[in-house]
Every structure is written in C-alpha cells, then in structure tokens.
Amino acid sequence: REIGSAAATPPDCLVVAYGQLAPYAGAVPARHKVLDLHNVESALLQSYAASAGLLTSLPARIESRAMRRLERRALRSFDTVSVVSEVDRERLPGSHPRLLVCPNGWEPSPPVPMGHEPVVAFVALLGWAPNADAAIWLADAVWPFVRQQVPGARLLLVGREPTAAVRALARDDVTVTGTVPEVQSYLARARVAVAPLRAGGGSRLKILEALDAGRPVVATTIGAEGLEALIGEGILTADDPRSFAETVVGLLRDRDRAAALGRAGNAAIRAQFSWDRTLEPLLDDVAEHGGR
C-alpha cells in the first residue's frame, strides 16, 4: 500500500500510512491529506486482549482505549480515510464524509508447482504477538490432530523474529526457520498454507501471497477477515482445533483437490486483488482532490 511516493502522489497531497503517525500530519502543509489505515489498531488490540492471558490483556486493553481516542481525532484531521475492509469501516470510532474501502492487494504472478510431500506452511512475522499466538495455537492445539491422521506431515513456521516461545516449538516435525531471504521456496514445498489467527484486524497479505503461489489456505474466521470473497475460492475456514486439523488433513490427503483450490485462489488474485484494482478508489480520490 505504498502509494505515497513522489511518482504516485502529487507534491501537495500527503499520505499517512499508519494511525499512530496521524498526529504528525498537522505539522506538514498539504492541500489534501489522506489517512491510509492498514488496520484499525484499537480494534486489533482489543481483539488481541480477548485472546491473551491476564498479564498481557490488561496493557492491550489500555493501549486500545488510547488508540481509539487517537483514531477519533485523526478522522477529523484528514480529507480522505482509507481502510482495507468493510469490517474495518464498521470498527472505526466515528464516521467520515470520504471513507474508502480499498482491500489489500498483491502483484499477480504464475503459480508455483506444488510439492509432493504433506507439508503445511505458516508464513508470518513471528515476533508480532497475534502471529506468535497463532503459531503456538497451531503447533500445540491443532498439529497433534494432524499428525495422528497424517504421521509424515511436517509443519513449517516461516518468518523473522520468532519469539522465544515460538522457537521452542521446533521439533522433528516442526521447523522454525527464523529470518529467510525469501518465502517462495517454502511455499513451493507446502501443499497447504495456513492463517490460524485468533486475533487481528485489516486483512492478511500472507494469505494473498499464498494464494498467488497457488496454495490453498486454511484460515480461522479472524484470519480470513477482509478476504471473505475468497472463501471457497482458495480459502477454507475452521475455528476450533479439531475442525481446523480435519480441514488441513483433507487437503494433505487429496493433492488434486488442494491443487484445484490453489488454482482457484491464484485466479481470484488476478481477477479481484491486483494492486491496480484494489487501490483504484484511493488513486482516483488522490487524482481528483490532491492535484494542483
């Protein structure tokens, strides 16, 4: 969502990409100011607090309330506000006369040939609390059910800055990679990608990346949030550990079905989620109101 470059935005249009940076916009002169929200941070923090333990939930709730006040003030300070989903539109603390929904997108590419081994991949920034929580839930609550039914299955937890608790998940059938130079080779090994989020907001670029590679994605309802149009078109959802595991197992056992679902996801990315398509309302708004 990097649309604030000089090539894309007229000089007298300011684009602020995160709610936390909104207070600094007042010091920058611009005729037209755009707030481009990747998440509604107050709702994301509230969601994380609901799934976290007592020691971490209280600070998250306090920060959520502070962010909500900041977001309410920010809505009054910008000419245009953009969010990534209808759900996030509803979560904003207040209304705005020019509020746009511009989903996250991906630059389409050819699908990656599917491997023959029963491999599952979770690609994420594993130092971010909701992703770390997801990895731990996946490995501890879901993965034992998968291994019971597919004894040779392997789980790849791919991403930088894994927390100590995530690193401790590594064992013979679970690989924690840490930082990698690229993720395509890991997606190439996988038959299934997963997004087992129990807290979050916005929408997951990791899902778009996996679908673009031609990998079906099993996600929680929260994991698939903002990408509901892709459920059945590359994404399958399940929320409790056993159902999540059974959905993964079904795809591990049926390579043809997994490949067909992955192809459907890749086609949907091309048709609906290229950056040119998803950002069109925001680019049109900048062109109309931000030019000289």
Side-chain angles (χ1 to χ4, degrees), residues 104 106 121-126 128 130-131 134 158 183 187 193-197 203-212 215 217 223 227:
N104 276 321
W106 196 261
F122 177 41
V123 178
L125 171 59
L126 294 173
W128 190 53
N131 287 341
V158 183
V183 302
L187 289 172
V194 293
L197 279 292
S203 66
R204 257 54 61 188
L205 286 167
K206 63 178 71 69
I207 291 182
L208 299 178
E209 182 177 32
L211 294 178
D212 182 61
R215 294 300 174 270
V217 176
L227 300 173

Side-chain angles (χ1 to χ4, degrees), residues 28 35 57 67 117 177 182 216 280:
V28 181
L35 179 61
S57 67
M67 275 303 305
E117 301 299 321
T177 68
E182 46 78 31
E280 186 175 2

Side-chain angles (χ1 to χ4, degrees), residues 158-174:
V158 183
R160 61 188 175 92
E161 299 174 5
T163 65
V166 172
R167 292 196 301 270
L169 299 172
R171 47 187 185 265
D172 289 345
D173 58 314
V174 178

Side-chain angles (χ1 to χ4, degrees), residues 10-66:
D12 58 345
C13 178
L14 173 70
V15 179
V16 175
Y18 293 94
Q20 294 93 327
L21 298 178
Y24 298 101
V28 181
R31 194 175 72 174
H32 188 74
K33 296 184 180 182
V34 178
L35 179 61
D36 182 29
L37 294 173
H38 299 242
N39 301 291
V40 177
E41 295 288 343
S42 61
L44 188 154
L45 288 161
Q46 188 66 28
S47 173
Y48 176 63
S51 65
L54 180 62
L55 290 179
T56 52
S57 67
L58 182 58
R61 291 182 193 280
I62 294 172
E63 188 176 355
S64 173
R65 288 194 289 271

